[in-house]
Amino acid sequence: MRNDPAPFSPHLRVHQDRGHTVLEFRGEIDIIAALDIVPALDAATGHPAARVVLDLRHIDFLDCSGLRLLYRARRRVLAQGGRLQLVCTHPLTLRILRVTELDNVLPPLSSMDEALGQPEAASESL
C-alpha cells in the first residue's frame, strides 16, 4: 500500500490497495468536510474504468453533504464504466444509508478485505 500525493486533509486519506483507489473518510463528514473532499473525490472518480472504494469505517458523523459525496462518486464512476464499493460498519451510518435507500444502489460491505478481495459488485445502473 502506498499513499498517493494529495493535499493534506483531516477528513480524507487517499491510497492505492490491490488495484483500487481507496478514499478513507475520517471524522465528521459535513458541508465543510465535503468542500475539502470534493477535489480528491473527483480526481479518483474522473477517469475511465476507475476502481474505487469509499471507506466510511473511520467517520463519526455523516450529514446530507456526505450523502451527496457518495452519490457523486457513484454517478462519476459508473458514467466512466468503473466500479465503486462502499465499506461501512458504523450502525448509525448504516441506518442513514438504509433510510435514504442508498444501500440499495451502493450496498455497504463490512470489511476492506471483502471490498478488495472479491470482484466488484456495485450496482451497474445509473
Side-chain angles (χ1 to χ4, degrees):
M1 225 184 293
R2 67 173 172 68
N3 284 337
D4 287 343
F8 171 77
S9 169
H11 308 291
L12 183 68
R13 178 176 171 247
V14 180
H15 58 96
Q16 296 293 317
D17 193 345
R18 293 178 245 178
H20 294 75
T21 301
V22 178
L23 285 85
E24 186 179 295
F25 290 57
R26 297 182 160 275
E28 296 185 3
I29 308 303
D30 57 15
I31 193 165
I32 300 300
L35 292 172
D36 189 37
I37 291 169
V38 164
L41 181 110
D42 284 357
T45 60
H47 54 87
R51 295 171 52 177
V52 178
V53 176
L54 303 178
D55 181 0
L56 304 184
R57 294 175 301 151
H58 306 286
I59 65 169
D60 303 319
F61 174 80
L62 181 78
D63 72 3
C64 61
S65 299
L67 290 173
R68 199 170 12 248
L69 289 172
L70 303 181
Y71 275 107
R72 179 185 188 106
R74 180 178 179 273
R75 183 184 72 244
R76 290 174 56 86
V77 167
L78 293 178
Q80 295 281 337
R83 301 279 186 213
L84 179 69
Q85 294 183 297
L86 179 68
V87 176
C88 181
T89 56
H90 193 279
L92 292 176
T93 304
L94 289 169
R95 183 174 179 204
I96 290 169
L97 296 173
R98 274 193 304 276
V99 167
T100 61
E101 297 184 358
L102 182 58
D103 64 339
N104 291 333
V105 295
L106 192 55
L109 302 172
S110 60
S111 73
M112 288 301 294
D113 282 337
E114 188 177 359
L116 299 170
Q118 67 180 19
E120 296 82 8
S123 173
E124 294 291 331
S125 60
L126 290 176

